[in-house]
Amino acid sequence: MIHIERFTLRDAQFISNHLRPEDWAEIGVISDDPRREVMAGALGAALCYTVRRSKYALHPDILYGVTTDQTMLGAGIVWLVGTPLVHRVALSFLKAAPGILEDLVVGYDFLHNYVDERNTLHLRWLKHLGFTFNSRVVIKGYNFTHAVWRPGT
């Protein structure tokens, strides 16, 4: 059974040093230092959590959170990164995700983010969770899809 808890700096540092290649590539489009970006995201998040295989697992497999969008009223920017071993917790995390989204959306009208279309795992997860895909933008030559989730959908 997975174990979800508030992140620690040690957890964020571990994840930032062991990112899935797809997460590294996605973050690398907007930052020349994905490790620093993960740490800044965790520290700047309104809420940030880690997911482990069990309460006793030494290292986390996922780091996720929500950050207030300063450019869009009522919006929370939801994000998630993981290690290459994320598959160990993927199914259990998907089962828990509806409740997780309800917790993350508190204080916001909706959650959203732009997802690199090369990151097919994240796109599949978001689709499964009921996110809608509204538009596409190109950032530094890569296609990003705008994913939006509203409570009750």
Side-chain angles (χ1 to χ4, degrees), residues 5-18 35-36 38-45 48-50 52 58-60 63:
E5 64 186 4
R6 292 269 181 154
F7 90 105
T8 65
L9 287 176
R10 173 178 272 169
D11 290 340
Q13 189 169 33
F14 178 83
I15 294 281
S16 72
N17 287 323
H18 298 89
R35 286 184 189 97
R36 184 185 68 223
V38 169
M39 294 301 294
L43 291 169
C48 184
Y49 297 94
T50 57
R52 288 177 161 73
L58 185 58
H59 299 296
L63 178 72

Side-chain angles (χ1 to χ4, degrees), residues 5-133:
E5 64 186 4
R6 292 269 181 154
F7 90 105
T8 65
L9 287 176
R10 173 178 272 169
D11 290 340
Q13 189 169 33
F14 178 83
I15 294 281
S16 72
N17 287 323
H18 298 89
L19 285 173
R20 291 174 53 241
E22 298 87 350
D23 292 343
W24 181 274
E26 181 172 345
I27 297 167
V29 172
I30 60 164
S31 173
D32 62 350
D33 188 348
R35 286 184 189 97
R36 184 185 68 223
E37 200 67 30
V38 169
M39 294 301 294
L43 291 169
L47 294 171
C48 184
Y49 297 94
T50 57
V51 180
R52 288 177 161 73
R53 278 182 314 190
S54 74
K55 184 176 182 178
Y56 305 104
L58 185 58
H59 299 296
D61 295 305
I62 293 175
L63 178 72
Y64 72 91
V66 63
T67 304
T68 301
D69 188 334
Q70 301 298 326
T71 66
M72 197 177 297
L73 188 63
I77 301 170
V78 65
W79 53 269
L80 179 149
V81 292
T83 72
L85 299 176
V86 70
H87 64 276
R88 299 187 301 189
V89 298
L91 187 57
S92 296
F93 184 73
L94 268 180
K95 289 178 181 178
I100 290 169
L101 287 173
E102 292 293 343
D103 290 340
L104 293 177
V105 79
V106 171
Y108 302 106
D109 297 327
F110 64 97
L111 301 175
H112 78 116
N113 206 337
Y114 288 86
V115 184
D116 187 333
E117 290 181 1
R118 297 173 296 168
N119 202 334
T120 57
L121 177 64
H122 285 185
L123 289 170
R124 284 194 319 263
W125 282 5
L126 293 170
K127 183 177 181 180
H128 177 80
L129 294 172
F131 277 74
T132 57
F133 302 104

